[in-house]
Amino acid sequence: MTATVTPPRAARRPGRRGGSHWWIHVVLGVGGFLMAFPFLWQIIMSLSTNAQVQSVTPTFWPVELQWQNYTQVFERLPFLSQLGTSVMVTVIRTIAQIVLCTLAGYAFARMRFRGRAVLLAIVLSILLVPSQVYLISQYQIVQGFGWLDTLMGIVAPGLFSAFGTFLMRTAFLNLPPELEEAARMDGANPFQTFWRIMLPLARPSISVLAITTVLWSWNELLWPLVVSTRAEDMPLAAGLATLSGDRTIDYPVLMAASLMAMAPVLIMFVVLQRRVMDGLASSGLK
Protein backbone atom coordinates (compact mmCIF):
# COMPACT_ATOMS: atom_id res chain seq x y z
CA MET A 1 0.00 0.00 0.00
CA THR A 2 1.54 3.26 -1.16
CA ALA A 3 1.43 6.22 1.24
CA THR A 4 0.23 9.51 -0.16
CA VAL A 5 2.30 12.52 0.84
CA THR A 6 0.18 15.65 1.22
CA PRO A 7 2.10 18.79 0.25
CA PRO A 8 2.08 21.71 2.66
CA ARG A 9 -0.72 24.24 2.21
CA ALA A 10 1.75 26.95 1.28
CA ALA A 11 3.17 24.68 -1.44
CA ARG A 12 -0.28 23.81 -2.83
CA ARG A 13 -1.41 27.41 -3.12
CA PRO A 14 1.61 29.58 -3.79
CA GLY A 15 1.18 33.34 -3.49
CA ARG A 16 -2.34 33.18 -2.10
CA ARG A 17 -1.49 34.74 1.24
CA GLY A 18 0.28 37.76 -0.27
CA GLY A 19 -2.03 38.16 -3.26
CA SER A 20 -5.25 38.11 -1.28
CA HIS A 21 -4.39 41.33 0.56
CA TRP A 22 -3.81 43.57 -2.45
CA TRP A 23 -6.98 45.52 -1.66
CA ILE A 24 -5.49 46.59 1.70
CA HIS A 25 -2.68 48.37 -0.11
CA VAL A 26 -5.19 50.01 -2.42
CA VAL A 27 -7.29 51.26 0.48
CA LEU A 28 -4.23 52.52 2.33
CA GLY A 29 -2.94 54.23 -0.81
CA VAL A 30 -6.27 55.98 -1.42
CA GLY A 31 -6.50 56.99 2.22
CA GLY A 32 -2.95 58.35 2.19
CA PHE A 33 -3.65 60.35 -0.96
CA LEU A 34 -6.83 61.85 0.54
CA MET A 35 -4.95 62.91 3.65
CA ALA A 36 -2.07 64.41 1.64
CA PHE A 37 -4.28 66.12 -0.96
CA PRO A 38 -4.95 69.32 1.07
CA PHE A 39 -1.19 69.80 1.45
CA LEU A 40 -0.61 69.18 -2.26
CA TRP A 41 -3.44 71.56 -3.14
CA GLN A 42 -1.88 74.21 -0.91
CA ILE A 43 1.39 73.88 -2.83
CA ILE A 44 -0.47 74.26 -6.14
CA MET A 45 -2.32 77.36 -4.87
CA SER A 46 0.94 78.94 -3.71
CA LEU A 47 2.30 78.68 -7.27
CA SER A 48 -0.82 80.05 -8.99
CA THR A 49 -2.24 83.49 -9.57
CA ASN A 50 -5.08 84.88 -7.53
CA ALA A 51 -7.35 84.75 -10.57
CA GLN A 52 -6.64 81.05 -11.08
CA VAL A 53 -7.34 80.29 -7.44
CA GLN A 54 -10.68 82.12 -7.48
CA SER A 55 -11.82 80.85 -10.88
CA VAL A 56 -14.98 78.76 -11.03
CA THR A 57 -13.22 76.02 -12.97
CA PRO A 58 -10.41 74.73 -10.72
CA THR A 59 -6.89 74.84 -12.09
CA PHE A 60 -5.15 71.66 -11.02
CA TRP A 61 -1.77 72.87 -12.25
CA PRO A 62 -0.86 76.44 -13.24
CA VAL A 63 0.41 77.09 -16.73
CA GLU A 64 3.23 79.25 -15.39
CA LEU A 65 4.59 78.78 -11.88
CA GLN A 66 4.40 81.97 -9.83
CA TRP A 67 7.53 81.72 -7.69
CA GLN A 68 7.29 85.43 -6.91
CA ASN A 69 4.52 84.64 -4.44
CA TYR A 70 7.18 83.46 -2.01
CA THR A 71 9.22 86.63 -2.38
CA GLN A 72 6.11 88.73 -1.79
CA VAL A 73 5.76 87.13 1.63
CA PHE A 74 8.87 89.02 2.78
CA GLU A 75 7.43 92.23 1.33
CA ARG A 76 4.05 91.85 3.04
CA LEU A 77 5.30 90.53 6.39
CA PRO A 78 8.35 90.94 8.66
CA PHE A 79 8.75 87.20 8.18
CA LEU A 80 12.19 86.72 9.71
CA SER A 81 11.28 88.74 12.80
CA GLN A 82 8.07 86.77 13.28
CA LEU A 83 9.93 83.51 12.70
CA GLY A 84 12.41 84.41 15.43
CA THR A 85 9.56 85.26 17.79
CA SER A 86 7.87 81.91 17.11
CA VAL A 87 11.10 80.02 17.73
CA MET A 88 11.75 81.85 21.00
CA VAL A 89 8.18 81.37 22.25
CA THR A 90 8.21 77.68 21.37
CA VAL A 91 11.62 76.96 22.92
CA ILE A 92 10.91 78.85 26.17
CA ARG A 93 7.48 77.28 26.62
CA THR A 94 8.70 73.77 25.87
CA ILE A 95 11.59 73.96 28.34
CA ALA A 96 9.39 75.55 31.02
CA GLN A 97 6.64 72.96 30.65
CA ILE A 98 9.08 70.06 30.76
CA VAL A 99 10.62 71.38 33.99
CA LEU A 100 7.46 72.55 35.78
CA CYS A 101 5.08 69.80 34.66
CA THR A 102 7.48 66.98 35.46
CA LEU A 103 8.11 68.38 38.94
CA ALA A 104 4.40 68.94 39.58
CA GLY A 105 3.46 65.54 38.16
CA TYR A 106 6.01 63.77 40.34
CA ALA A 107 4.83 65.62 43.44
CA PHE A 108 1.18 64.73 42.82
CA ALA A 109 2.02 61.10 41.99
CA ARG A 110 4.61 60.17 44.62
CA MET A 111 4.59 62.68 47.47
CA ARG A 112 2.13 62.91 50.35
CA PHE A 113 1.29 66.38 51.65
CA ARG A 114 -1.72 68.13 53.12
CA GLY A 115 -4.24 69.40 50.58
CA ARG A 116 -2.82 67.34 47.72
CA ALA A 117 -6.21 66.05 46.53
CA VAL A 118 -7.79 69.52 46.61
CA LEU A 119 -4.87 71.12 44.78
CA LEU A 120 -4.88 68.36 42.16
CA ALA A 121 -8.61 68.83 41.63
CA ILE A 122 -8.08 72.57 41.11
CA VAL A 123 -5.32 71.95 38.57
CA LEU A 124 -7.31 69.33 36.65
CA SER A 125 -10.42 71.53 36.66
CA ILE A 126 -8.55 73.86 34.29
CA LEU A 127 -8.95 71.15 31.62
CA LEU A 128 -12.74 71.51 31.90
CA VAL A 129 -12.74 75.27 31.26
CA PRO A 130 -12.16 76.71 27.76
CA SER A 131 -9.16 79.01 27.61
CA GLN A 132 -11.32 81.84 26.25
CA VAL A 133 -13.10 82.08 29.63
CA TYR A 134 -10.05 83.46 31.45
CA LEU A 135 -8.65 85.38 28.47
CA ILE A 136 -9.62 88.78 29.92
CA SER A 137 -8.10 87.93 33.30
CA GLN A 138 -4.84 86.90 31.66
CA TYR A 139 -4.80 90.10 29.64
CA GLN A 140 -5.29 92.23 32.77
CA ILE A 141 -2.46 90.41 34.56
CA VAL A 142 -0.08 90.84 31.60
CA GLN A 143 -1.10 94.47 31.29
CA GLY A 144 -0.44 95.02 34.99
CA PHE A 145 3.10 93.67 34.59
CA GLY A 146 3.65 95.92 31.55
CA TRP A 147 4.23 92.99 29.23
CA LEU A 148 2.02 94.06 26.33
CA ASP A 149 3.80 93.89 22.96
CA THR A 150 6.66 91.93 24.52
CA LEU A 151 7.95 88.39 24.19
CA MET A 152 7.27 87.69 27.86
CA GLY A 153 3.63 88.67 27.44
CA ILE A 154 3.19 86.05 24.72
CA VAL A 155 5.13 83.35 26.58
CA ALA A 156 3.78 83.76 30.12
CA PRO A 157 0.39 81.94 29.92
CA GLY A 158 1.99 78.85 28.35
CA LEU A 159 4.79 78.22 30.83
CA PHE A 160 2.67 75.68 32.71
CA SER A 161 -0.26 73.48 31.68
CA ALA A 162 -2.76 71.27 33.46
CA PHE A 163 -2.53 68.75 30.61
CA GLY A 164 1.22 68.39 31.07
CA THR A 165 0.83 67.92 34.81
CA PHE A 166 -1.83 65.26 34.30
CA LEU A 167 0.28 63.49 31.67
CA MET A 168 3.40 63.37 33.82
CA ARG A 169 1.44 62.38 36.93
CA THR A 170 0.03 59.40 35.01
CA ALA A 171 3.52 58.49 33.78
CA PHE A 172 5.00 58.49 37.29
CA LEU A 173 2.04 56.56 38.72
CA ASN A 174 2.67 53.76 36.22
CA LEU A 175 6.26 53.29 37.39
CA PRO A 176 6.81 50.59 40.05
CA PRO A 177 7.22 51.97 43.60
CA GLU A 178 9.97 49.44 44.30
CA LEU A 179 12.38 51.67 42.40
CA GLU A 180 11.86 54.50 44.88
CA GLU A 181 12.22 52.15 47.83
CA ALA A 182 15.50 50.82 46.49
CA ALA A 183 16.82 54.33 45.91
CA ARG A 184 15.72 55.35 49.41
CA MET A 185 17.56 52.38 50.91
CA ASP A 186 20.70 53.46 49.05
CA GLY A 187 20.49 56.85 50.75
CA ALA A 188 19.05 58.95 47.91
CA ASN A 189 16.98 61.98 48.85
CA PRO A 190 13.65 62.72 47.06
CA PHE A 191 15.25 64.99 44.45
CA GLN A 192 17.98 62.46 43.66
CA THR A 193 15.35 59.76 43.30
CA PHE A 194 13.38 61.97 40.93
CA TRP A 195 16.39 63.09 38.88
CA ARG A 196 18.36 59.86 38.60
CA ILE A 197 15.71 57.13 38.76
CA MET A 198 12.21 58.31 37.86
CA LEU A 199 12.89 61.01 35.29
CA PRO A 200 14.92 58.82 32.86
CA LEU A 201 12.15 56.20 32.92
CA ALA A 202 9.55 58.85 32.02
CA ARG A 203 11.30 59.93 28.81
CA PRO A 204 8.52 58.69 26.46
CA SER A 205 5.94 60.84 28.25
CA ILE A 206 8.36 63.78 28.32
CA SER A 207 8.73 63.40 24.54
CA VAL A 208 4.95 63.53 24.14
CA LEU A 209 4.78 66.63 26.36
CA ALA A 210 7.50 68.32 24.31
CA ILE A 211 5.82 67.44 20.99
CA THR A 212 2.38 68.68 22.02
CA THR A 213 3.86 71.87 23.51
CA VAL A 214 5.82 72.62 20.34
CA LEU A 215 2.78 72.13 18.11
CA TRP A 216 0.47 74.12 20.38
CA SER A 217 2.91 77.01 20.83
CA TRP A 218 3.80 77.20 17.14
CA ASN A 219 0.16 77.27 16.01
CA GLU A 220 -1.34 79.44 18.77
CA LEU A 221 -3.32 82.30 17.28
CA LEU A 222 -5.79 83.96 19.66
CA TRP A 223 -3.53 85.01 22.54
CA PRO A 224 -0.73 86.54 20.39
CA LEU A 225 -3.33 88.56 18.50
CA VAL A 226 -4.74 89.88 21.78
CA VAL A 227 -1.48 90.75 23.50
CA SER A 228 0.46 92.01 20.43
CA THR A 229 -0.46 94.95 18.23
CA ARG A 230 2.75 95.44 16.26
CA ALA A 231 3.54 93.06 13.41
CA GLU A 232 7.21 92.87 14.41
CA ASP A 233 6.30 91.45 17.82
CA MET A 234 3.86 88.80 16.58
CA PRO A 235 4.69 85.12 16.03
CA LEU A 236 4.10 83.60 12.62
CA ALA A 237 0.62 82.22 13.31
CA ALA A 238 -0.66 85.67 14.26
CA GLY A 239 1.28 87.32 11.43
CA LEU A 240 -0.42 85.10 8.84
CA ALA A 241 -3.81 86.30 10.09
CA THR A 242 -2.88 89.87 9.12
CA LEU A 243 -2.60 88.80 5.46
CA SER A 244 -6.38 88.35 5.34
CA GLY A 245 -7.79 91.76 4.45
CA ASP A 246 -11.32 93.01 5.00
CA ARG A 247 -12.23 93.04 1.30
CA THR A 248 -9.65 91.09 -0.68
CA ILE A 249 -7.37 88.19 0.16
CA ASP A 250 -4.30 87.28 -1.86
CA TYR A 251 -4.68 83.52 -1.51
CA PRO A 252 -1.44 82.49 -3.31
CA VAL A 253 0.67 84.71 -1.03
CA LEU A 254 -1.25 83.45 2.01
CA MET A 255 -0.66 79.83 1.00
CA ALA A 256 3.03 80.50 0.33
CA ALA A 257 3.40 82.12 3.75
CA SER A 258 1.59 79.19 5.37
CA LEU A 259 3.93 76.69 3.74
CA MET A 260 6.96 78.65 4.87
CA ALA A 261 5.53 78.86 8.40
CA MET A 262 4.92 75.12 8.68
CA ALA A 263 8.29 74.16 7.17
CA PRO A 264 10.30 74.24 10.46
CA VAL A 265 7.81 72.01 12.29
CA LEU A 266 7.56 69.68 9.29
CA ILE A 267 11.34 69.35 9.06
CA MET A 268 11.52 68.69 12.81
CA PHE A 269 8.91 65.94 12.48
CA VAL A 270 10.75 64.29 9.57
CA VAL A 271 14.08 64.35 11.43
CA LEU A 272 12.61 63.13 14.75
CA GLN A 273 9.94 60.87 13.25
CA ARG A 274 11.08 57.69 14.99
CA ARG A 275 11.28 59.36 18.41
CA VAL A 276 7.88 61.03 17.90
CA MET A 277 6.20 57.72 17.06
CA ASP A 278 7.92 55.86 19.89
CA GLY A 279 6.87 58.51 22.38
CA LEU A 280 3.26 58.53 21.27
CA ALA A 281 3.09 54.72 21.28
CA SER A 282 4.73 54.37 24.69
CA SER A 283 2.51 56.96 26.36
CA GLY A 284 -0.71 55.64 24.86
CA LEU A 285 -1.77 59.16 23.78
CA LYS A 286 -4.18 59.22 20.83
Side-chain angles (χ1 to χ4, degrees):
M1 185 174 181
T2 305
T4 304
V5 179
T6 304
R9 180 175 299 180
R12 294 200 314 260
R13 299 176 181 178
R16 181 180 176 183
R17 183 176 181 85
S20 61
H21 299 294
W22 61 269
W23 57 273
I24 297 179
H25 300 281
V26 174
V27 172
L28 292 176
V30 173
F33 175 77
L34 292 177
M35 288 187 290
F37 181 76
F39 180 72
L40 298 176
W41 186 250
Q42 184 179 5
I43 296 176
I44 295 173
M45 290 178 64
S46 68
L47 297 174
S48 305
T49 62
N50 205 27
Q52 292 174 339
V53 171
Q54 297 180 349
S55 63
V56 178
T57 304
T59 303
F60 292 99
W61 190 257
V63 178
E64 184 177 355
L65 301 181
Q66 306 296 321
W67 295 105
Q68 66 272 15
N69 292 332
Y70 289 87
T71 60
Q72 290 183 17
V73 174
F74 296 94
E75 300 173 1
R76 303 275 296 274
L77 287 177
F79 186 85
L80 296 179
S81 175
Q82 293 179 352
L83 176 63
T85 302
S86 294
V87 171
M88 290 297 297
V89 169
T90 302
V91 171
I92 294 174
R93 280 184 173 178
T94 303
I95 295 176
Q97 288 219 19
I98 290 176
V99 173
L100 297 178
C101 292
T102 51
L103 289 173
Y106 180 75
F108 283 125
R110 295 299 187 180
M111 294 184 176
R112 301 293 181 266
F113 53 90
R114 182 176 298 179
R116 185 187 66 162
V118 177
L119 186 58
L120 179 61
I122 294 175
V123 173
L124 296 183
S125 64
I126 301 176
L127 297 174
L128 306 177
V129 182
S131 59
Q132 293 80 4
V133 173
Y134 43 84
L135 183 66
I136 298 177
S137 301
Q138 287 181 342
Y139 179 84
Q140 292 175 343
I141 294 173
V142 170
Q143 186 182 30
F145 282 110
W147 289 345
L148 296 179
D149 292 319
T150 63
L151 178 65
M152 192 61 193
I154 302 175
V155 170
L159 296 177
F160 178 81
S161 70
F163 167 77
T165 302
F166 175 74
L167 177 67
M168 297 310 303
R169 175 181 177 271
T170 304
F172 289 123
L173 282 176
N174 292 331
L175 296 179
E178 292 79 9
L179 297 174
E180 284 184 306
E181 296 175 0
R184 210 175 294 118
M185 293 178 62
D186 290 338
N189 57 42
F191 181 77
Q192 290 175 334
T193 303
F194 165 76
W195 182 258
R196 297 181 179 180
I197 306 299
M198 308 300 285
L199 192 62
L201 296 176
R203 285 179 180 175
S205 296
I206 295 175
S207 300
V208 173
L209 177 60
I211 294 164
T212 54
T213 305
V214 167
L215 294 178
W216 169 67
S217 299
W218 192 267
N219 297 322
E220 189 183 21
L221 174 62
L222 181 58
W223 176 250
L225 284 176
V226 171
V227 77
S228 301
T229 57
R230 296 179 300 184
E232 294 78 7
D233 301 324
M234 295 180 178
L236 275 176
L240 294 180
T242 61
L243 291 177
S244 301
D246 297 333
R247 299 180 180 179
T248 59
I249 301 177
D250 195 342
Y251 290 102
V253 175
L254 181 59
M255 293 299 104
S258 300
L259 286 171
M260 294 169 63
M262 74 170 65
V265 179
L266 187 61
I267 294 173
M268 183 195 70
F269 177 79
V270 172
V271 174
L272 303 176
Q273 183 178 4
R274 182 180 297 275
R275 179 165 297 182
V276 170
M277 294 303 179
D278 291 343
L280 292 175
S282 300
S283 66
L285 185 65
K286 296 182 179 180

